[in-house]
């Protein structure tokens, strides 16, 4: 089993801002990371607070056409046009913000749109995440990382992990030198194919068996 695949030559980034505060610490950190991207890579930024996106209503198993509001259409098109999707959400109660979770809930609906082939088209793309958090112990963000890793695994996407920074008061993340340093090279990091826990275990067992065979 291999868990690495080449990145597309023509990359484009979608930054999805899911904070409850404009110009918050998460956005500051995300923009610091984006500033390090090559100038020829397109970036699109969407603030979920600026979209009239209602709570997701699951209509996948109902008859008839399911109406697509303009805000949803904007998000769907932007998501499917990007090779790299960056979830920029503060750590709220140890997971994603409500705005961000609502956005991901819409992915469930897009999976069932006839002719859209959402799952097939998302395969091979890369999911990233940026999050500001009040706690200095980064382990408390493991729940967010697991949610996003498993989301990427289901769609057979790659996952670049979560860029974490410390900040609660406005602008506080600017004092987190470690986070700002990591931001400069965040998008240069490895992006393995996301795997569910049982897939990771199977891969480890496979590697162990190969190692035993090589020394036999």
């Amino acid at each position: 089993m291999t868990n690495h695949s080449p990145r597309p030559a023509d990359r484009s980034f979608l930054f999805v801002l899911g904070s409850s505060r404009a110009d918050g610490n998460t956005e500051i950190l995300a923009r610091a990371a984006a500033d390090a991207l090559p100038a020829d890579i397109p970036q699109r930024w969407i603030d979920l607070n600026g979209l009239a996106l209602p709570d997701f209503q699951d209509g996948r198993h109902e008859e008839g056409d399911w109406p697509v509001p303009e805000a949803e259409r904007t998000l769907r098109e932007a998501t499917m046009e990007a090779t790299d999707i960056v979830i920029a959400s503060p750590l709220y109660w140890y997971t994603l913000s409500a705005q961000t979770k609502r956005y991901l809930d819409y992915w469930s609906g897009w999976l069932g749109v006839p002719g859209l082939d959402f799952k097939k088209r998302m395969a091979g793309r890369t999911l990233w995440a940026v999050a500001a958090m009040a706690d200095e112990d980064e382990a408390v963000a493991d729940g967010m990382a697991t949610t996003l890793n498993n989301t990427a695994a289901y769609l057979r996407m790659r996952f670049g992990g979560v860029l974490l920074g410390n900040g609660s008061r406005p602008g506080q993340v600017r004092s987190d030198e470690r986070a700002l340093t990591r931001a400069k090279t965040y998008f240069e990091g490895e992006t393995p194919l996301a795997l569910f826990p049982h897939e990771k275990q199977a891969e480890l067992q496979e590697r162990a068996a190969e190692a035993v065979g090589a020394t036999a």
Side-chain angles (χ1 to χ4, degrees):
M1 180 186 297
T2 179
N3 66 346
H4 288 271
S5 53
R7 291 172 175 165
D10 297 324
R11 300 174 73 190
S12 60
F13 276 71
L14 171 65
F15 291 82
V16 181
L17 302 176
S19 177
S20 297
R21 180 170 60 199
D23 303 318
N25 287 298
T26 297
E27 181 176 351
I28 291 171
L29 186 57
R31 291 194 180 276
D35 285 344
L37 286 170
D40 61 344
I41 294 183
Q43 299 179 24
R44 183 172 182 180
W45 294 74
I46 293 181
D47 187 344
L48 295 176
N49 287 316
L51 292 178
L53 189 69
D55 287 338
F56 174 65
Q57 305 257 339
D58 190 355
R60 289 173 295 170
H61 305 294
E62 298 181 9
E63 295 183 359
D65 294 331
W66 186 255
V68 182
E70 182 178 352
E72 178 186 349
R73 189 179 302 277
T74 296
L75 271 177
R76 189 172 76 184
E77 292 176 353
T79 299
M80 298 186 70
E81 288 172 358
T83 62
D84 295 74
I85 300 165
V86 185
I87 300 293
S89 167
L91 187 71
Y92 285 163
W93 288 107
Y94 311 105
T95 188
L96 300 162
S97 69
Q99 296 93 321
T100 308
K101 181 58 169 59
R102 182 188 297 117
Y103 164 60
L104 292 178
D105 284 348
Y106 272 86
W107 288 23
S108 299
W110 301 342
L111 286 168
V113 176
L116 192 63
D117 293 328
F118 183 71
K119 186 174 183 178
K120 181 179 180 180
R121 291 174 63 179
M122 295 301 289
R125 304 186 191 206
T126 303
L127 185 66
W128 308 83
V130 180
M133 52 189 288
D135 201 305
E136 294 185 1
D137 180 7
E138 294 188 350
V140 303
D142 287 350
M144 172 189 282
T146 298
T147 293
L148 293 174
N149 175 81
N150 290 350
T151 297
Y154 179 76
L155 294 172
R156 312 318 294 167
M157 299 175 70
R158 298 190 297 273
F159 183 49
V162 184
L163 172 62
L164 295 169
N166 183 259
S168 180
R169 297 187 304 275
Q172 186 179 8
V173 76
R174 292 191 177 98
S175 299
D176 188 343
E177 295 183 4
R178 183 165 176 259
L180 294 177
T181 297
R182 287 186 296 186
K184 295 178 181 178
T185 58
Y186 174 52
F187 293 124
E188 298 175 9
E190 293 291 336
T191 56
L193 181 69
L195 300 174
F196 288 111
H198 69 274
E199 293 176 317
K200 293 180 181 179
Q201 183 63 31
E203 185 176 74
L204 290 174
Q205 292 174 348
E206 182 180 324
R207 290 180 179 176
E210 290 175 352
V212 170
T215 57

mmCIF file with all atom_site columns, all heavy atoms in Angstrom, residues 84-101:
data_model
loop_
_atom_site.group_PDB
_atom_site.id
_atom_site.type_symbol
_atom_site.label_atom_id
_atom_site.label_alt_id
_atom_site.label_comp_id
_atom_site.label_asym_id
_atom_site.label_entity_id
_atom_site.label_seq_id
_atom_site.pdbx_PDB_ins_code
_atom_site.Cartn_x
_atom_site.Cartn_y
_atom_site.Cartn_z
_atom_site.occupancy
_atom_site.B_iso_or_equiv
_atom_site.pdbx_formal_charge
_atom_site.auth_seq_id
_atom_site.auth_comp_id
_atom_site.auth_asym_id
_atom_site.auth_atom_id
_atom_site.pdbx_PDB_model_num
ATOM 1   N N   . ASP A 1 84  ? -6.335  22.413 -3.503 1.00 0.00 ? 84  ASP A N   1
ATOM 2   C CA  . ASP A 1 84  ? -5.976  22.422 -2.089 1.00 0.00 ? 84  ASP A CA  1
ATOM 3   C C   . ASP A 1 84  ? -7.022  23.223 -1.320 1.00 0.00 ? 84  ASP A C   1
ATOM 4   O O   . ASP A 1 84  ? -7.274  24.387 -1.639 1.00 0.00 ? 84  ASP A O   1
ATOM 5   C CB  . ASP A 1 84  ? -4.599  23.060 -1.893 1.00 0.00 ? 84  ASP A CB  1
ATOM 6   C CG  . ASP A 1 84  ? -3.483  22.265 -2.541 1.00 0.00 ? 84  ASP A CG  1
ATOM 7   O OD1 . ASP A 1 84  ? -3.356  22.286 -3.788 1.00 0.00 ? 84  ASP A OD1 1
ATOM 8   O OD2 . ASP A 1 84  ? -2.729  21.616 -1.802 1.00 0.00 ? 84  ASP A OD2 1
ATOM 9   N N   . ILE A 1 85  ? -7.614  22.595 -0.334 1.00 0.00 ? 85  ILE A N   1
ATOM 10  C CA  . ILE A 1 85  ? -8.653  23.236 0.473  1.00 0.00 ? 85  ILE A CA  1
ATOM 11  C C   . ILE A 1 85  ? -8.123  23.418 1.884  1.00 0.00 ? 85  ILE A C   1
ATOM 12  O O   . ILE A 1 85  ? -7.695  22.456 2.529  1.00 0.00 ? 85  ILE A O   1
ATOM 13  C CB  . ILE A 1 85  ? -9.935  22.401 0.480  1.00 0.00 ? 85  ILE A CB  1
ATOM 14  C CG1 . ILE A 1 85  ? -10.465 22.250 -0.954 1.00 0.00 ? 85  ILE A CG1 1
ATOM 15  C CG2 . ILE A 1 85  ? -10.996 23.033 1.368  1.00 0.00 ? 85  ILE A CG2 1
ATOM 16  C CD1 . ILE A 1 85  ? -11.505 21.175 -1.098 1.00 0.00 ? 85  ILE A CD1 1
ATOM 17  N N   . VAL A 1 86  ? -8.150  24.661 2.355  1.00 0.00 ? 86  VAL A N   1
ATOM 18  C CA  . VAL A 1 86  ? -7.612  24.974 3.677  1.00 0.00 ? 86  VAL A CA  1
ATOM 19  C C   . VAL A 1 86  ? -8.763  25.354 4.606  1.00 0.00 ? 86  VAL A C   1
ATOM 20  O O   . VAL A 1 86  ? -9.437  26.370 4.389  1.00 0.00 ? 86  VAL A O   1
ATOM 21  C CB  . VAL A 1 86  ? -6.597  26.131 3.610  1.00 0.00 ? 86  VAL A CB  1
ATOM 22  C CG1 . VAL A 1 86  ? -5.958  26.356 4.981  1.00 0.00 ? 86  VAL A CG1 1
ATOM 23  C CG2 . VAL A 1 86  ? -5.529  25.852 2.555  1.00 0.00 ? 86  VAL A CG2 1
ATOM 24  N N   . ILE A 1 87  ? -8.999  24.535 5.610  1.00 0.00 ? 87  ILE A N   1
ATOM 25  C CA  . ILE A 1 87  ? -10.010 24.823 6.614  1.00 0.00 ? 87  ILE A CA  1
ATOM 26  C C   . ILE A 1 87  ? -9.362  25.703 7.680  1.00 0.00 ? 87  ILE A C   1
ATOM 27  O O   . ILE A 1 87  ? -8.436  25.265 8.369  1.00 0.00 ? 87  ILE A O   1
ATOM 28  C CB  . ILE A 1 87  ? -10.543 23.530 7.254  1.00 0.00 ? 87  ILE A CB  1
ATOM 29  C CG1 . ILE A 1 87  ? -11.184 22.615 6.207  1.00 0.00 ? 87  ILE A CG1 1
ATOM 30  C CG2 . ILE A 1 87  ? -11.513 23.856 8.380  1.00 0.00 ? 87  ILE A CG2 1
ATOM 31  C CD1 . ILE A 1 87  ? -12.440 23.168 5.592  1.00 0.00 ? 87  ILE A CD1 1
ATOM 32  N N   . ALA A 1 88  ? -9.818  26.911 7.811  1.00 0.00 ? 88  ALA A N   1
ATOM 33  C CA  . ALA A 1 88  ? -9.283  27.836 8.815  1.00 0.00 ? 88  ALA A CA  1
ATOM 34  C C   . ALA A 1 88  ? -10.344 28.031 9.887  1.00 0.00 ? 88  ALA A C   1
ATOM 35  O O   . ALA A 1 88  ? -11.245 28.865 9.759  1.00 0.00 ? 88  ALA A O   1
ATOM 36  C CB  . ALA A 1 88  ? -8.897  29.171 8.180  1.00 0.00 ? 88  ALA A CB  1
ATOM 37  N N   . SER A 1 89  ? -10.250 27.242 10.931 1.00 0.00 ? 89  SER A N   1
ATOM 38  C CA  . SER A 1 89  ? -11.252 27.268 11.999 1.00 0.00 ? 89  SER A CA  1
ATOM 39  C C   . SER A 1 89  ? -10.578 27.326 13.348 1.00 0.00 ? 89  SER A C   1
ATOM 40  O O   . SER A 1 89  ? -9.669  26.533 13.633 1.00 0.00 ? 89  SER A O   1
ATOM 41  C CB  . SER A 1 89  ? -12.133 26.002 11.938 1.00 0.00 ? 89  SER A CB  1
ATOM 42  O OG  . SER A 1 89  ? -12.908 25.864 13.114 1.00 0.00 ? 89  SER A OG  1
ATOM 43  N N   . PRO A 1 90  ? -11.001 28.230 14.217 1.00 0.00 ? 90  PRO A N   1
ATOM 44  C CA  . PRO A 1 90  ? -10.484 28.192 15.596 1.00 0.00 ? 90  PRO A CA  1
ATOM 45  C C   . PRO A 1 90  ? -10.892 26.891 16.268 1.00 0.00 ? 90  PRO A C   1
ATOM 46  O O   . PRO A 1 90  ? -11.836 26.221 15.833 1.00 0.00 ? 90  PRO A O   1
ATOM 47  C CB  . PRO A 1 90  ? -11.169 29.387 16.270 1.00 0.00 ? 90  PRO A CB  1
ATOM 48  C CG  . PRO A 1 90  ? -11.781 30.184 15.176 1.00 0.00 ? 90  PRO A CG  1
ATOM 49  C CD  . PRO A 1 90  ? -12.014 29.270 14.038 1.00 0.00 ? 90  PRO A CD  1
ATOM 50  N N   . LEU A 1 91  ? -10.183 26.523 17.298 1.00 0.00 ? 91  LEU A N   1
ATOM 51  C CA  . LEU A 1 91  ? -10.553 25.359 18.076 1.00 0.00 ? 91  LEU A CA  1
ATOM 52  C C   . LEU A 1 91  ? -11.650 25.769 19.055 1.00 0.00 ? 91  LEU A C   1
ATOM 53  O O   . LEU A 1 91  ? -11.390 26.462 20.040 1.00 0.00 ? 91  LEU A O   1
ATOM 54  C CB  . LEU A 1 91  ? -9.337  24.812 18.837 1.00 0.00 ? 91  LEU A CB  1
ATOM 55  C CG  . LEU A 1 91  ? -9.552  23.483 19.558 1.00 0.00 ? 91  LEU A CG  1
ATOM 56  C CD1 . LEU A 1 91  ? -9.677  22.348 18.550 1.00 0.00 ? 91  LEU A CD1 1
ATOM 57  C CD2 . LEU A 1 91  ? -8.413  23.205 20.530 1.00 0.00 ? 91  LEU A CD2 1
ATOM 58  N N   . TYR A 1 92  ? -12.879 25.377 18.764 1.00 0.00 ? 92  TYR A N   1
ATOM 59  C CA  . TYR A 1 92  ? -14.014 25.681 19.635 1.00 0.00 ? 92  TYR A CA  1
ATOM 60  C C   . TYR A 1 92  ? -14.467 24.383 20.308 1.00 0.00 ? 92  TYR A C   1
ATOM 61  O O   . TYR A 1 92  ? -14.876 23.443 19.621 1.00 0.00 ? 92  TYR A O   1
ATOM 62  C CB  . TYR A 1 92  ? -15.170 26.267 18.821 1.00 0.00 ? 92  TYR A CB  1
ATOM 63  C CG  . TYR A 1 92  ? -14.976 27.695 18.374 1.00 0.00 ? 92  TYR A CG  1
ATOM 64  C CD1 . TYR A 1 92  ? -15.761 28.228 17.357 1.00 0.00 ? 92  TYR A CD1 1
ATOM 65  C CD2 . TYR A 1 92  ? -14.010 28.523 18.946 1.00 0.00 ? 92  TYR A CD2 1
ATOM 66  C CE1 . TYR A 1 92  ? -15.600 29.540 16.936 1.00 0.00 ? 92  TYR A CE1 1
ATOM 67  C CE2 . TYR A 1 92  ? -13.842 29.829 18.527 1.00 0.00 ? 92  TYR A CE2 1
ATOM 68  C CZ  . TYR A 1 92  ? -14.640 30.332 17.520 1.00 0.00 ? 92  TYR A CZ  1
ATOM 69  O OH  . TYR A 1 92  ? -14.468 31.633 17.097 1.00 0.00 ? 92  TYR A OH  1
ATOM 70  N N   . TRP A 1 93  ? -14.403 24.333 21.611 1.00 0.00 ? 93  TRP A N   1
ATOM 71  C CA  . TRP A 1 93  ? -14.767 23.137 22.355 1.00 0.00 ? 93  TRP A CA  1
ATOM 72  C C   . TRP A 1 93  ? -14.089 21.900 21.769 1.00 0.00 ? 93  TRP A C   1
ATOM 73  O O   . TRP A 1 93  ? -14.700 20.866 21.561 1.00 0.00 ? 93  TRP A O   1
ATOM 74  C CB  . TRP A 1 93  ? -16.292 22.966 22.432 1.00 0.00 ? 93  TRP A CB  1
ATOM 75  C CG  . TRP A 1 93  ? -16.907 23.976 23.350 1.00 0.00 ? 93  TRP A CG  1
ATOM 76  C CD1 . TRP A 1 93  ? -17.650 25.073 23.006 1.00 0.00 ? 93  TRP A CD1 1
ATOM 77  C CD2 . TRP A 1 93  ? -16.796 24.011 24.781 1.00 0.00 ? 93  TRP A CD2 1
ATOM 78  N NE1 . TRP A 1 93  ? -17.997 25.791 24.119 1.00 0.00 ? 93  TRP A NE1 1
ATOM 79  C CE2 . TRP A 1 93  ? -17.491 25.162 25.232 1.00 0.00 ? 93  TRP A CE2 1
ATOM 80  C CE3 . TRP A 1 93  ? -16.173 23.187 25.728 1.00 0.00 ? 93  TRP A CE3 1
ATOM 81  C CZ2 . TRP A 1 93  ? -17.577 25.495 26.581 1.00 0.00 ? 93  TRP A CZ2 1
ATOM 82  C CZ3 . TRP A 1 93  ? -16.261 23.524 27.074 1.00 0.00 ? 93  TRP A CZ3 1
ATOM 83  C CH2 . TRP A 1 93  ? -16.963 24.663 27.483 1.00 0.00 ? 93  TRP A CH2 1
ATOM 84  N N   . TYR A 1 94  ? -12.805 22.085 21.440 1.00 0.00 ? 94  TYR A N   1
ATOM 85  C CA  . TYR A 1 94  ? -11.919 20.994 21.045 1.00 0.00 ? 94  TYR A CA  1
ATOM 86  C C   . TYR A 1 94  ? -12.243 20.403 19.682 1.00 0.00 ? 94  TYR A C   1
ATOM 87  O O   . TYR A 1 94  ? -11.796 19.303 19.349 1.00 0.00 ? 94  TYR A O   1
ATOM 88  C CB  . TYR A 1 94  ? -11.897 19.893 22.122 1.00 0.00 ? 94  TYR A CB  1
ATOM 89  C CG  . TYR A 1 94  ? -11.667 20.484 23.481 1.00 0.00 ? 94  TYR A CG  1
ATOM 90  C CD1 . TYR A 1 94  ? -12.719 20.608 24.396 1.00 0.00 ? 94  TYR A CD1 1
ATOM 91  C CD2 . TYR A 1 94  ? -10.421 20.999 23.831 1.00 0.00 ? 94  TYR A CD2 1
ATOM 92  C CE1 . TYR A 1 94  ? -12.513 21.202 25.637 1.00 0.00 ? 94  TYR A CE1 1
ATOM 93  C CE2 . TYR A 1 94  ? -10.208 21.594 25.067 1.00 0.00 ? 94  TYR A CE2 1
ATOM 94  C CZ  . TYR A 1 94  ? -11.260 21.703 25.959 1.00 0.00 ? 94  TYR A CZ  1
ATOM 95  O OH  . TYR A 1 94  ? -11.055 22.295 27.178 1.00 0.00 ? 94  TYR A OH  1
ATOM 96  N N   . THR A 1 95  ? -12.971 21.158 18.873 1.00 0.00 ? 95  THR A N   1
ATOM 97  C CA  . THR A 1 95  ? -13.256 20.689 17.521 1.00 0.00 ? 95  THR A CA  1
ATOM 98  C C   . THR A 1 95  ? -13.477 21.893 16.612 1.00 0.00 ? 95  THR A C   1
ATOM 99  O O   . THR A 1 95  ? -13.073 23.012 16.936 1.00 0.00 ? 95  THR A O   1
ATOM 100 C CB  . THR A 1 95  ? -14.473 19.745 17.523 1.00 0.00 ? 95  THR A CB  1
ATOM 101 O OG1 . THR A 1 95  ? -14.610 19.163 16.225 1.00 0.00 ? 95  THR A OG1 1
ATOM 102 C CG2 . THR A 1 95  ? -15.749 20.468 17.910 1.00 0.00 ? 95  THR A CG2 1
ATOM 103 N N   . LEU A 1 96  ? -14.123 21.684 15.492 1.00 0.00 ? 96  LEU A N   1
ATOM 104 C CA  . LEU A 1 96  ? -14.353 22.739 14.512 1.00 0.00 ? 96  LEU A CA  1
ATOM 105 C C   . LEU A 1 96  ? -15.432 23.705 14.971 1.00 0.00 ? 96  LEU A C   1
ATOM 106 O O   . LEU A 1 96  ? -16.300 23.362 15.773 1.00 0.00 ? 96  LEU A O   1
ATOM 107 C CB  . LEU A 1 96  ? -14.784 22.112 13.176 1.00 0.00 ? 96  LEU A CB  1
ATOM 108 C CG  . LEU A 1 96  ? -13.800 21.143 12.527 1.00 0.00 ? 96  LEU A CG  1
ATOM 109 C CD1 . LEU A 1 96  ? -14.527 20.295 11.492 1.00 0.00 ? 96  LEU A CD1 1
ATOM 110 C CD2 . LEU A 1 96  ? -12.648 21.897 11.892 1.00 0.00 ? 96  LEU A CD2 1
ATOM 111 N N   . SER A 1 97  ? -15.385 24.911 14.426 1.00 0.00 ? 97  SER A N   1
ATOM 112 C CA  . SER A 1 97  ? -16.439 25.885 14.707 1.00 0.00 ? 97  SER A CA  1
ATOM 113 C C   . SER A 1 97  ? -17.739 25.444 14.057 1.00 0.00 ? 97  SER A C   1
ATOM 114 O O   . SER A 1 97  ? -17.758 24.608 13.144 1.00 0.00 ? 97  SER A O   1
ATOM 115 C CB  . SER A 1 97  ? -16.040 27.259 14.164 1.00 0.00 ? 97  SER A CB  1
ATOM 116 O OG  . SER A 1 97  ? -16.040 27.245 12.739 1.00 0.00 ? 97  SER A OG  1
ATOM 117 N N   . ALA A 1 98  ? -18.847 26.010 14.512 1.00 0.00 ? 98  ALA A N   1
ATOM 118 C CA  . ALA A 1 98  ? -20.157 25.669 13.952 1.00 0.00 ? 98  ALA A CA  1
ATOM 119 C C   . ALA A 1 98  ? -20.225 26.023 12.470 1.00 0.00 ? 98  ALA A C   1
ATOM 120 O O   . ALA A 1 98  ? -20.798 25.278 11.664 1.00 0.00 ? 98  ALA A O   1
ATOM 121 C CB  . ALA A 1 98  ? -21.251 26.400 14.723 1.00 0.00 ? 98  ALA A CB  1
ATOM 122 N N   . GLN A 1 99  ? -19.634 27.161 12.094 1.00 0.00 ? 99  GLN A N   1
ATOM 123 C CA  . GLN A 1 99  ? -19.658 27.574 10.692 1.00 0.00 ? 99  GLN A CA  1
ATOM 124 C C   . GLN A 1 99  ? -18.932 26.561 9.815  1.00 0.00 ? 99  GLN A C   1
ATOM 125 O O   . GLN A 1 99  ? -19.407 26.198 8.716  1.00 0.00 ? 99  GLN A O   1
ATOM 126 C CB  . GLN A 1 99  ? -19.007 28.953 10.531 1.00 0.00 ? 99  GLN A CB  1
ATOM 127 C CG  . GLN A 1 99  ? -19.731 30.079 11.239 1.00 0.00 ? 99  GLN A CG  1
ATOM 128 C CD  . GLN A 1 99  ? -19.172 30.306 12.638 1.00 0.00 ? 99  GLN A CD  1
ATOM 129 O OE1 . GLN A 1 99  ? -18.834 29.379 13.353 1.00 0.00 ? 99  GLN A OE1 1
ATOM 130 N NE2 . GLN A 1 99  ? -19.089 31.573 13.035 1.00 0.00 ? 99  GLN A NE2 1
ATOM 131 N N   . THR A 1 100 ? -17.786 26.099 10.295 1.00 0.00 ? 100 THR A N   1
ATOM 132 C CA  . THR A 1 100 ? -17.001 25.155 9.515  1.00 0.00 ? 100 THR A CA  1
ATOM 133 C C   . THR A 1 100 ? -17.695 23.802 9.428  1.00 0.00 ? 100 THR A C   1
ATOM 134 O O   . THR A 1 100 ? -17.723 23.162 8.369  1.00 0.00 ? 100 THR A O   1
ATOM 135 C CB  . THR A 1 100 ? -15.606 24.974 10.136 1.00 0.00 ? 100 THR A CB  1
ATOM 136 O OG1 . THR A 1 100 ? -15.010 26.255 10.330 1.00 0.00 ? 100 THR A OG1 1
ATOM 137 C CG2 . THR A 1 100 ? -14.715 24.145 9.231  1.00 0.00 ? 100 THR A CG2 1
ATOM 138 N N   . LYS A 1 101 ? -18.245 23.351 10.538 1.00 0.00 ? 101 LYS A N   1
ATOM 139 C CA  . LYS A 1 101 ? -18.953 22.068 10.529 1.00 0.00 ? 101 LYS A CA  1
ATOM 140 C C   . LYS A 1 101 ? -20.140 22.115 9.576  1.00 0.00 ? 101 LYS A C   1
ATOM 141 O O   . LYS A 1 101 ? -20.425 21.127 8.864  1.00 0.00 ? 101 LYS A O   1
ATOM 142 C CB  . LYS A 1 101 ? -19.424 21.728 11.943 1.00 0.00 ? 101 LYS A CB  1
ATOM 143 C CG  . LYS A 1 101 ? -20.157 20.393 12.060 1.00 0.00 ? 101 LYS A CG  1
ATOM 144 C CD  . LYS A 1 101 ? -19.298 19.236 11.584 1.00 0.00 ? 101 LYS A CD  1
ATOM 145 C CE  . LYS A 1 101 ? -19.908 17.883 11.952 1.00 0.00 ? 101 LYS A CE  1
ATOM 146 N NZ  . LYS A 1 101 ? -21.249 17.684 11.379 1.00 0.00 ? 101 LYS A NZ  1
#
